[in-house]
Amino acid sequence: MQIVLIEGDGIGPEVTQAACRVVAAANVKVDWVKAAAGIPAAEQFGEPLPEETLEMIRRYRVALKGPCTTPVGKGYRSINVRLRQGLELFASVRPVNTLPGIKTPYEKVDLIVVRENTEGLYAGLEHEVVPGVVESVRLITRPAAERIVRFAFELARHRGRRMVTFCHKADVMRLSDGLFLECARQVADDYPFIRFEEKPIDNVCLEMALDPSEFDVLVMENLFGDVISDLAAGLVGPAGPGGGLGLVPGANYGTRFAVFEAVHGSAPDIAGKGVANPIAVIRSAAMMLEYVGRGDAGARIEAAVMKALKVGIGLTRDLGGDGNTNTLTEQIIKHLAV
Ligand code: NAI
């Protein structure tokens, strides 16, 4: 099977290579078709997201992607936002669960963040009205709002989940989140067997800090989803730099294509040192295998990661170990074999 591999930049090449090794060790034969994005693409093609890369994903339909750096406040627009919009990868899915051997103040976290990926404040509609005054448009459309809420309910149905929480700020953004909320309520009516909750996003943050085990599937617009994904990752990760970022996988689904990537960024502070935690990308690859019909191999990889965390040998520094990307990858491969 042919799958596009975008290594990205920063720690991207290190962690995606680790994921490719684990997929091979799970006896899944993948012909990785490399495509460029991020700093290497900008240097080589003068364009951080070349059209060829989008074309390759359109041709092969599935990609595993490492993180790509986006300069803050200047330079090019976020590659990730453009990739998601360009391929209409409208649903970002981030499962966050308590992991063996990782001490946190919380127990029994098992939630899935579903984020609308193409609109909201990340639609990229910004302009300068006059010098010193800028405007950002928060785009919400009925078709996209209905589509993402239906996606969340279908996900809940397929995975036997009990509840979907719609997160909003409709009391303040009365028109945009008002429309989103109206769509959410309408879609929820089609799923009477799944509990539906609607909650202001600030309440969600408070409740997550108090007792995240209360949540199941959460669905929300783009910016809220970006923030909640990192917050949720922090609930299941160890204290210290990176928190749970090195542990939480992610996927971006559209109707025709899918791109799998970790929640974390390019981590320039540790790039090139061989110490990055590869687990988030390895678990993203496991989600990818499920998508391409190799859920058996994906489940074995996920189980091997859990065993490696439980045994605790060769862990990376963010997990309190003295190992590195390579030692942790080898441990996961070792547990795959048994
Ligand atoms: P970051 O996630 O790259 O790093 C935040 C902290 O977490 C750092 O201390 C880093 O060392 C640590 N960390 C992240 N991943 C880790 C891993 N696998 N193992 C161990 N430690 C890890 O977030 P930051 O610094 O805000 O962003 C850096 C760049 O990445 C920015 O240009 C940003 O735009 C980009 N980014 C790209 C994403 C993507 O391509 N999907 C997602 C998020 C950020």
Side-chain angles (χ1 to χ4, degrees):
M1 126 178 65
Q2 289 175 304
I3 292 177
V4 175
L5 176 67
I6 299 172
E7 292 186 329
D9 55 52
I11 60 171
E14 302 162 51
V15 289
T16 50
Q17 281 311 320
C20 294
R21 281 177 64 194
V22 172
V23 169
N27 289 326
V28 184
K29 173 93 186 70
V30 175
D31 290 332
W32 297 103
V33 184
K34 281 201 182 178
I39 293 171
E43 284 168 1
Q44 203 184 333
F45 304 105
E47 164 56 56
L49 182 62
E51 187 50 36
E52 294 82 31
T53 297
L54 288 172
E55 268 312 308
M56 273 204 224
I57 302 174
R58 288 189 189 108
R59 186 177 325 146
Y60 297 106
R61 293 176 177 260
V62 182
L64 181 66
K65 177 183 164 294
C68 298
T69 303
T70 300
V72 177
K74 59 180 166 57
Y76 47 79
R77 269 184 66 208
S78 166
I79 296 161
N80 302 308
V81 172
R82 283 172 51 203
L83 188 76
R84 291 162 195 163
Q85 287 176 346
L87 298 170
E88 267 218 87
L89 302 171
F90 67 88
S92 156
V93 174
R94 282 149 182 197
V96 178
N97 55 302
T98 302
L99 297 162
I102 309 286
K103 278 208 168 53
T104 77
Y106 306 102
E107 284 174 9
K108 298 189 197 142
V109 179
D110 183 14
L111 57 88
I112 305 176
V113 180
V114 178
R115 158 185 171 193
E116 205 292 321
N117 241 354
T118 59
E119 299 192 339
L121 261 177
Y122 287 3
L125 303 173
E126 290 191 317
H127 67 277
E128 187 178 56
V129 183
V130 290
V133 181
V134 293
E135 263 179 9
S136 297
V137 175
R138 187 171 189 269
L139 180 73
I140 305 289
T141 65
R142 183 178 288 279
E146 286 176 357
R147 178 171 67 172
I148 193 66
V149 178
R150 193 165 297 284
F151 181 95
F153 272 100
E154 282 298 316
L155 182 98
R157 188 161 70 93
H158 281 296
R159 296 191 186 261
R161 313 290 296 218
R162 68 193 150 82
M163 179 171 70
V164 172
T165 304
F166 176 69
C167 313
H168 65 89
K169 197 64 189 165
D171 52 338
V172 177
M173 293 179 283
R174 305 175 84 88
L175 272 182
S176 58
D177 264 3
L179 172 63
F180 212 146
L181 179 57
E182 182 194 318
C183 295
R185 287 175 180 161
Q186 278 167 0
V187 173
D189 282 345
D190 293 340
Y191 298 86
F193 44 90
I194 295 171
R195 200 171 125 203
F196 174 64
E197 264 192 359
E198 43 185 70
K199 280 205 171 140
I201 190 70
D202 39 355
N203 289 17
V204 170
C205 292
L206 177 70
E207 287 177 29
M208 270 207 179
L210 294 172
D211 183 8
S213 68
E214 287 289 305
F215 291 101
D216 194 352
V217 176
L218 300 103
V219 59
M220 64 204 79
E221 66 91 47
N222 216 335
L223 166 68
F224 293 165
D226 193 11
V227 176
I228 291 290
S229 296
D230 271 32
L231 170 61
L235 302 172
V236 298
L245 284 177
L247 295 166
V248 177
N252 301 290
Y253 299 103
T255 41
R256 298 170 61 206
F257 317 113
V259 175
F260 297 81
E261 64 179 340
V263 171
H264 64 70
S266 55
D269 51 334
I270 56 167
K273 297 182 180 158
V275 296
N277 184 343
I279 284 181
V281 177
I282 290 171
R283 296 179 76 201
S284 304
M287 289 174 78
M288 178 196 80
L289 290 177
E290 187 188 1
Y291 180 78
V292 298
R294 289 301 312 270
D296 57 322
R300 282 197 295 121
I301 290 175
E302 180 73 7
V305 169
M306 296 307 134
K307 277 188 207 152
L309 285 171
K310 193 169 178 191
V311 173
I313 297 172
L315 298 183
T316 43
R317 296 191 306 209
D318 57 311
L319 302 179
D322 56 5
N324 53 41
T325 311
N326 189 41
T327 56
L328 182 48
T329 306
E330 277 173 2
Q331 283 301 310
I332 293 166
I333 290 172
K334 189 178 128 195
H335 291 294
L336 257 181
V338 290

